[in-house]
Amino acid sequence: MEERAAPRRVVIVGGGFAGLFAARALRRSPVAVTVVDRRAHHLFQPLLYQCAAGILSEGQIAQPLRGLLRRHRNATCLLAEATDVDAGARLVHARRPDGTALTLPYDDLIVAVGMRQSYFGHGEFAAHAPGMKSLDDALHIRRRLYQAFEMAETAADAAERQQWLTFALVGGGPTGVELAGQIREIAGHTLDREFRTIDSARARVLLFEGSDEVLGSFGRPLAARAARTLHGLGVEVHLGTRVTGIDAQGLTVQDKDGATTRFDARTVLWTAGVEAPPIAAALARATGAAQDRAGRLAVQPDLTLPGHPEIHVTGDVMSLRRLPGLAEVAMQTGAYAGRAVRHRAAGGTKQQKPFRYLDLGSAAYICRGKAVVKVGRTHLSGLAGWLVWLFVHLAFLTGFRSRLGAMLSWSIVFASGSRRERAFPMSDAGGPPSSAAPAKA
């Protein structure tokens, strides 16, 4: 009897949007798929801030990878962090949670690791200003937000009370704008009349942005509308500013004229900048691939690395035609890479067409009933923008139960301002979660 040939080995590094869509594209392909991720869940990252703000629960934005791929008979999920790649031997080196090593051979490699928070060379800021890229980060920020009001309630004097009631956000992109709006809603609606000593509505929310407008990627008209909405909510927007120092009691900011100002704030959140994780640099060393300033890997039009047609790079960690780091880009590149591998596994010899991105637009939720949406030349804001935002996020949420639960939570918040997910752990009080970028020597 003839021995059956072993199936083609496909390793997918990362279980985010790109990794998940790549695995789905390979579901019925005669390959053995291994999905390796440092987390055991797939995270709907665009709604992380809503988990941090207490609108959605962890289970509504995070689904177990094993559960999502349970019907994929050719897929295996491994909990480990990829640390290096041997491109010549076609091996991925990984580290399990207990520190032990793991080696994964591959015939095709799909890299979908995403990006991590960047502090622009000031890794020491992470100890006082957590970013938000993981579920751990969101829960840590939730604790920081709600605990600040509790601390203000028992503050020794007015100065300390005001420090606890001042929230500073660094970065005026979608995450910064969305979080700023949520904090104002928490202070003015969710916690209204719950405290006896403080008036939560008097909380200050400061938003610092280095450019001349918030949501600059949305274009000037929508950026101006977003700024007006933030101003109406009571958010203090500081444009053309650069943060030069952060500590446990606040931050120091420099404006365009070079003047520095100190702001006292016990809660500082970092919502600016991303950088590639270490595995991207390891892959660049192994293949000779070029990286941009943020560490993204430059790919060819078919998403492969030059000289390595067996390696596809997808999602946020990919650099191609200045495509933005959006969930839609990750989904489409992941699906494209999966189809390309499926084509090769089936013995196809026809050259793959270059990747073509279908722009589905951008959206940012600011507060109840108000959002901004940009789809091509169509610009929406206010209630119309919010309704489009609602439809898009419901469509992309993973799983019927997540969609139903999110819809119920949004209905409650929209109708009453109440948030059900306000519980927070106290065990992480010693510092930021481990996903924060380390300090650089």
Side-chain angles (χ1 to χ4, degrees):
M1 295 180 63
E2 294 185 1
E3 292 187 5
R4 181 177 297 181
R8 194 177 186 88
R9 300 163 300 182
V10 182
V11 173
I12 301 175
V13 181
F17 288 114
L20 181 61
F21 274 68
R24 285 176 170 173
L26 291 165
R27 179 178 180 179
R28 302 188 188 282
S29 184
V31 298
V33 178
T34 300
V35 180
V36 56
D37 196 294
R38 60 197 296 261
R39 308 293 184 195
H41 56 259
H42 165 75
L43 180 65
F44 194 89
Q45 204 171 77
L47 292 177
L48 259 182
Y49 74 96
Q50 294 213 357
C51 179
I55 296 176
L56 300 179
S57 69
E58 305 93 292
Q60 289 169 329
I61 64 169
Q63 298 291 324
L65 275 171
R66 294 184 182 279
L68 294 175
L69 298 176
R70 66 187 183 279
R71 296 180 181 175
H72 294 232
R73 296 183 180 275
N74 64 345
T76 300
C77 297
L78 300 180
L79 181 62
E81 181 177 8
T83 57
D84 203 355
V85 175
D86 185 336
R90 296 194 178 185
L91 297 173
V92 173
H93 298 285
R95 182 175 56 246
R96 299 166 64 205
D98 64 358
T100 56
L102 195 65
T103 302
L104 306 172
Y106 66 85
D107 297 302
D108 289 284
L109 174 62
I110 299 177
V111 180
V113 292
M115 301 286 276
R116 67 176 185 175
Q117 202 73 61
S118 171
Y119 289 85
F120 304 111
H122 291 278
E124 70 276 9
F125 290 173
H128 306 292
M132 190 166 59
K133 300 297 289 184
S134 69
L135 195 58
D136 292 339
D137 296 334
L139 295 178
H140 178 74
I141 289 175
R142 181 193 293 178
R143 181 188 68 78
R144 292 282 297 269
L145 293 180
Y146 286 103
Q147 184 174 276
F149 291 98
E150 299 292 342
M151 295 297 289
E153 179 77 354
T154 57
D157 53 50
E160 182 191 349
R161 184 177 303 115
Q162 189 55 60
Q163 287 180 7
W164 283 112
L165 289 178
T166 301
F167 302 84
L169 298 99
V170 183
T175 301
V177 167
E178 289 166 336
L179 260 181
Q182 288 305 306
I183 296 172
R184 280 303 310 155
E185 287 212 319
I186 290 170
H189 298 284
T190 303
L191 302 180
D192 185 32
R193 296 188 299 274
E194 289 194 6
F195 292 91
R196 300 295 177 260
T197 302
I198 65 170
D199 179 3
S200 63
R202 295 175 66 87
R204 293 180 68 193
V205 180
L206 315 174
L207 180 61
F208 299 95
E209 166 58 31
S211 68
D212 294 329
E213 57 190 7
V214 296
L215 296 182
S217 62
F218 283 66
R220 184 153 294 178
L222 285 182
R225 294 178 202 174
R228 287 196 297 269
T229 301
L230 289 171
H231 179 74
L233 286 172
V235 177
E236 302 173 33
V237 180
H238 299 262
L239 301 175
T241 55
R242 182 173 67 91
V243 174
T244 58
I246 302 177
D247 55 41
Q249 277 72 45
L251 69 169
T252 304
V253 177
Q254 185 179 72
D255 63 21
K256 289 185 291 187
D257 298 326
T260 59
T261 306
R262 169 73 182 185
F263 293 89
D264 292 331
R266 293 295 184 98
T267 304
V268 181
L269 305 177
W270 192 271
T271 58
V274 292
E275 65 182 13
I279 184 61
L283 185 58
R285 288 192 299 269
T287 61
Q291 293 182 275
D292 65 11
R293 293 180 61 184
R296 299 180 185 90
L297 293 158
V299 298
Q300 300 185 111
D302 63 353
L303 308 187
T304 63
L305 295 180
H308 292 273
E310 77 283 2
I311 301 178
H312 288 79
V313 180
T314 61
D316 294 358
V317 78
M318 165 205 73
S319 176
L320 177 69
R321 300 193 300 269
R322 295 190 178 184
L323 289 175
L326 298 175
E328 296 84 26
V329 175
M331 294 175 189
Q332 293 180 37
T333 55
Y336 174 94
R339 291 193 298 269
V341 172
R342 183 178 65 195
H343 178 72
R344 291 182 63 181
T349 57
K350 187 177 179 180
Q351 186 175 2
Q352 187 82 356
K353 291 182 179 180
F355 171 73
R356 183 178 179 183
Y357 173 56
L358 176 62
D359 187 0
L360 300 179
S362 305
Y365 177 113
I366 303 175
C367 62
R368 288 186 299 168
K370 293 183 179 180
V372 291
V373 176
K374 177 185 177 183
V375 183
R377 296 183 179 180
T378 302
H379 292 179
L380 299 173
S381 60
L383 183 60
W386 183 79
L387 290 172
V388 172
W389 176 94
L390 181 70
F391 172 79
V392 169
H393 284 75
L394 279 176
F396 284 120
L397 263 175
T398 305
F400 173 76
R401 293 180 64 180
S402 293
R403 295 189 187 101
L404 183 62
M407 191 65 191
L408 177 61
S409 297
W410 288 333
S411 299
I412 292 173
V413 172
F414 186 82
S416 65
S418 175
R419 293 159 193 252
R420 301 174 59 188
E421 304 296 335
R422 286 165 49 185
F424 56 85
M426 296 297 293
S427 59
D428 66 343
S434 59
S435 60
K440 295 181 179 179

